[in-house]
Amino acid sequence: MTETILIVDDEPAILNTLSGVLSDEGYQVLTAGGGGAALDLLQRESPAVVLLDIWMPDLDGLETLQRIKRIRPQQTVVVMSGHGSIETAVRATKLGAYDYIEKPLSSDKVLLVLAHAITEQQLADENRHLRAAIDERFEILGTSPAIQRLRDQIAVAGPSLSRVLISGENGTGKELAARAIHQQSPRRNRPFIEINCAAIPESLIESELFGYEKGAFTGAVEQKKGRLELANGGTLFLDEIGDMSLPTQAKMLRVLEEREFQRVGGPKTHRMDARIIAASNKSLSDEIQRGRFREDLFYRLNVIPLTVPSLRERKEDIPVLARHFLERFGREQGTATKRLAEDAAAAMISYGWPGNVRELKNYIERLVIMVPGDVITSSSMLPLGSPAAIGPASTSLDGPVRPLKQARAQFEHDHILRALETHRWNISRTAEALGVERSHLHRKIKELGIHGKPTEEQLPLVD
Ligand SMILES: Nc1ncnc2c1ncn2[C@@H]1O[C@H](COP(=O)(O)OP(=O)(O)OP(=O)(O)O)[C@@H](O)[C@H]1O
Ligand SMILES: [Mg+2]
C-alpha cells in the first residue's frame, strides 16, 4: 500500500527536495507551505505521517501540532527544525509528536523515522483488529430474556471479584460466561487460566493445579508452576469441577480457606491470589447426595450461582445464533454469507439441540462447507440431530468424493459414538477400548459434537 506523507514547511526548497526523495521511495507526497494550509489539507486528506517544520512565519509548528492533535488525536506527526533545541523537542513530544528530526535533514534519517512510524502504526492497527476479533469471539449473543438476564448477572458478578459457580448443560456457553466475567472484572488484563478437571488424568491434576518442585516425583527434573500460581492476579477457571476427585477437592477446599498453597513436593508456602470461577454440567447437589462432591467445597465456590440456560429454553436465540455463525464461517471460508430461509429457521427452532450452542455451531459450520448455493432451505439443509448430520453416506465409498478431513471426522464421529454406546458412555472403559487417554476422548467428543440420548441408566460422561 502506498502511504501518504504530508510535508509542511515554509521553505520551497525543502518541500521540493523532500518531495523528490520521498516519491523516489514510493511514498505519495502532499505539501503545504504553512500551518494554516496544512490544517486545511487535513480536512480532506488522511496522511500516514505529517512532517512538520517548527519555525514557520504564519502559524508556528508547535501551535500547528496542537491543532492537528485536536482534530485528529491519532495522527502521527514528526517535527523538524534547524534551530532545534532539546526544549523544543521535549515540548513537541509532550504535545504528542512521534519523533523529532534536526535540520539540515539527512534523507536517510528522514526515511528511517518514517519507516518506523509506519511500522508502528501498522502494528497498532493490527492490534486493534485482533482485539476486536477477540471481543467478538467472547461476545454472548442472543436476544431472549433468559440470555439478557445472564448478561445482566455477569455485569454484576464480574466486577465484584466474588467466586462464581456456573452451571448449565453441555455446550450452553459456560466457558464463554466465565471469560465474560473475567473481561468485566478489574483483572481483565491479567491472565485467565483454565483447568478442565475432567480432561486431566487424576494422577496429574494436583501437579497441574499446584505445580511441583524439582525432584517431587520421577520426571520432575525442574520445578514447575501450577495453574493456580499462573492465575495469580487473574482468574482461575475450574471447569467441570464435578469431575474433581474427593482427595483433590479436600486440597482445594484447604487452599480456598487458607488462601495459601504448596507446590507438590515442596515445603514453601505460596499465597494464592486467583479469583476462582467454577463450572459444572452435572448437578452438584446430586453429586453431593451421592457422596461424590463435598458440600463444604460447594458452599465455598457457590458465592454467586449462575445458570446458563439451554437452547431449548430460549428458542428465539436459535436463528440469531445460526445467522451469526453463518456469517462467521462464511467469512472464514471466504464465501458469501448464506441466507437462512424461514422454513429452515423453523426446523432449527423445533429441534431440541441436546448439545446446545456447540452443536448448533458445529452444525452451521458443516452447512457452510457442504450446502451449495446462497440460501439454506429446509430441503437443502443437512438432517438435524443424527450423526448423519455430517452428511448422509459420507463414509460410504460410493458417491461423491469428499475432502479427506471431512470423511475422517465422520468416521471418527461414528466410531466413537458406537464405542460410547457399547460401553454405556463410561468414559474410562470407552477410552480403554479405543486405546486413547480419557482426556483425548473428552476432547474428541467435544470437537466432533458427539452426544447420545442417554436413558435412565446411561449417565452421559460419567465414569
Ligand atoms: N450465547 C452465545 N453466543 C455466541 N457463542 C456462543 C454462545 N454460547 C456458546 N457459544 C459458543 O459455543 C461454543 C460452546 O461454548 P462453551 O465452550 O462456552 O460451552 P460450555 O458450556 O463450556 O460447554 P461444555 O459443557 O461442553 O464444556 C463456544 O464456541 C462458544 O463460543
Ligand atoms: Mg466448557
Side-chain angles (χ1 to χ4, degrees):
M1 200 185 103
T2 321
E3 304 289 352
T4 303
I5 312 292
L6 169 61
I7 314 170
V8 191
D9 204 306
D10 58 316
E11 290 179 58
I14 298 236
L15 290 183
N16 265 331
T17 339
L18 256 189
S19 299
V21 172
L22 298 188
S23 328
D24 286 350
E25 283 298 312
Y27 290 110
Q28 184 114 31
V29 181
L30 299 168
T31 55
L39 288 165
D40 280 350
L41 249 172
L42 285 174
Q43 303 290 340
R44 289 169 276 132
E45 305 279 351
S46 1
V49 180
V50 177
L51 276 174
L52 180 64
D53 185 29
I54 288 287
W55 293 92
M56 291 184 297
D58 81 320
L59 189 63
D60 147 80
L62 290 178
E63 178 60 30
T64 311
L65 172 61
Q66 269 174 305
R67 295 204 196 169
I68 291 178
K69 286 285 168 180
R70 224 173 290 143
I71 53 172
R72 209 176 282 166
Q74 301 300 328
Q75 178 68 54
T76 305
V77 180
V78 173
V79 295
M80 29 186 207
S81 170
H83 324 274
S85 64
I86 286 293
E87 290 89 89
T88 326
V90 170
R91 275 200 66 202
T93 318
K94 278 203 179 133
L95 293 173
Y98 171 78
D99 206 347
Y100 181 88
I101 312 177
E102 286 209 73
K103 282 179 174 178
L105 298 170
S106 122
S107 37
D108 285 350
K109 170 84 181 167
V110 173
L111 292 174
L112 195 69
V113 169
L114 286 181
H116 277 170
I118 288 166
T119 312
E120 203 161 293
Q121 274 174 21
Q122 282 164 346
L123 287 176
D125 283 352
E126 203 175 302
N127 217 324
R128 253 194 306 279
H129 244 87
L130 288 173
R131 269 178 194 276
I134 289 172
D135 287 351
E136 182 195 4
R137 272 175 195 255
F138 292 156
E139 202 184 342
I140 300 177
L141 298 169
T143 52
S144 63
I147 209 78
Q148 280 170 21
R149 199 171 329 115
L150 179 71
R151 278 196 296 257
D152 291 346
Q153 289 168 331
I154 289 175
V156 175
S160 78
L161 289 181
S162 300
R163 289 183 198 137
V164 182
L165 179 62
I166 307 172
S167 44
E169 291 178 16
N170 281 320
T172 43
K174 295 185 294 299
E175 180 168 345
L176 194 63
R179 288 182 186 276
I181 293 169
H182 175 74
Q183 282 301 318
Q184 295 186 35
S185 81
R187 301 185 158 210
R188 74 180 65 82
N189 293 321
R190 308 302 307 269
F192 176 91
I193 305 284
E194 191 219 330
I195 183 161
N196 185 330
C197 306
I200 295 179
E202 178 52 36
S203 56
L204 292 182
I205 194 131
E206 282 180 23
S207 53
E208 274 298 324
L209 253 180
F210 306 119
Y212 52 80
E213 296 292 350
K214 186 174 173 175
F217 44 84
T218 341
V221 286
E222 239 163 34
Q223 62 149 239
K224 193 182 162 215
K225 287 186 184 175
R227 300 203 194 173
L228 192 60
E229 208 171 331
L230 294 172
N232 246 2
T235 302
L236 180 69
F237 177 45
L238 296 171
D239 202 2
E240 320 257 2
I241 186 94
D243 283 275
M244 190 182 262
S245 72
L246 284 165
T248 310
Q249 288 176 35
K251 296 214 167 99
M252 198 65 217
L253 178 68
R254 229 192 59 215
V255 172
L256 296 185
E257 280 170 348
E258 295 171 7
R259 306 205 128 262
E260 283 178 354
F261 66 95
Q262 284 149 343
R263 297 189 187 137
V264 175
K268 192 168 168 240
T269 301
H270 299 264
R271 212 172 75 76
M272 103 119 183
D273 174 29
R275 183 209 196 154
I276 305 285
I277 303 179
S280 172
N281 54 23
K282 292 180 184 168
S283 150
L284 289 183
S285 11
D286 285 358
E287 295 296 298
I288 292 170
Q289 291 271 306
R290 292 183 181 151
R292 289 195 295 227
F293 202 83
R294 295 181 66 117
E295 197 169 3
D296 42 10
L297 179 60
F298 173 78
Y299 286 115
R300 284 271 166 192
L301 295 171
N302 196 33
V303 178
I304 302 184
L306 288 188
T307 303
V308 186
S310 70
L311 260 187
R312 288 183 304 289
E313 297 164 85
R314 46 180 173 117
K315 284 181 171 293
E316 62 264 57
D317 288 342
I318 295 171
V320 176
L321 287 164
R323 293 196 169 100
H324 165 78
F325 291 131
L326 279 172
E327 197 272 327
R328 181 168 135 201
F329 290 122
R331 189 167 7 114
E332 283 179 20
Q333 297 283 330
T335 56
T337 303
K338 291 189 202 296
R339 199 166 63 73
L340 191 64
E342 284 307 317
D343 58 347
M348 288 184 195
I349 290 170
S350 55
Y351 173 63
W353 301 105
N356 293 294
V357 186
R358 177 176 292 107
E359 181 184 5
L360 176 66
K361 188 175 149 198
N362 290 347
Y363 177 76
I364 299 287
E365 187 172 9
R366 287 181 224 129
L367 283 186
V368 169
I369 297 172
M370 301 185 59
V371 176
D374 292 341
V375 186
I376 289 170
T377 61
S378 62
S379 52
S380 71
M381 66 200 260
L382 307 169
L384 286 158
S386 67
I390 294 180
S394 59
T395 43
S396 117
L397 296 175
D398 320 320
V401 173
R402 289 170 193 282
L404 189 59
K405 198 172 158 204
Q406 252 169 45
R408 191 162 47 221
Q410 170 73 59
F411 175 80
E412 280 190 335
H413 179 286
D414 295 356
H415 191 73
I416 294 173
L417 182 64
R418 202 166 59 87
L420 282 165
E421 280 168 353
T422 310
H423 295 281
R424 299 180 158 237
W425 288 79
N426 179 308
I427 299 291
S428 296
R429 265 179 268 144
T430 312
E432 199 180 305
L434 293 170
V436 298
E437 290 276 339
R438 284 168 69 229
S439 52
H440 184 75
L441 180 57
H442 270 292
R443 212 165 41 240
K444 280 287 170 194
I445 290 174
K446 273 196 183 166
E447 264 171 33
L448 299 166
I450 300 175
H451 46 78
K453 296 195 181 64
T455 58
E456 278 294 284
E457 78 273 22
Q458 288 177 323
L459 289 163
L461 310 184
V462 172
D463 289 287

